Amino acid sequence: MDRIAHLALADAALTKAENLAGDAETAAKGDARHKAEPLAAVGALWASIARTHASIARVTPEADDTTPGA
């Protein structure tokens, strides 16, 4: 997997984390308060996945013509 793929996965995971944070906030303000904590926990997990992919991308060299498989 190359740097671009890891950045794309980080972006997708961050989007999921943002959406889940919004869902948790909505749940906390409404009748579904019992769902707020689990939604926030899953959102935190996706944020961690985003950070992991971003960290891997940071240390992954960019593909170029000299890289095998590029």
Side-chain angles (χ1 to χ4, degrees):
M1 192 175 302
D2 66 3
R3 180 183 215 169
I4 301 297
H6 280 291
L7 290 173
L9 288 171
D11 185 56
L14 184 58
T15 299
K16 287 181 182 184
E18 290 172 335
N19 290 338
L20 285 161
D23 292 346
E25 182 179 10
T26 300
K29 291 179 180 178
D31 293 335
R33 290 186 182 161
H34 64 283
K35 293 183 179 180
E37 188 176 345
L39 286 168
V42 174
L45 175 63
W46 278 107
S48 179
I49 292 169
R51 282 190 300 275
T52 300
H53 279 294
S55 295
I56 293 170
R58 189 179 314 121
V59 298
T60 302
E62 290 188 43
D64 60 21
D65 293 335
T66 61
T67 304

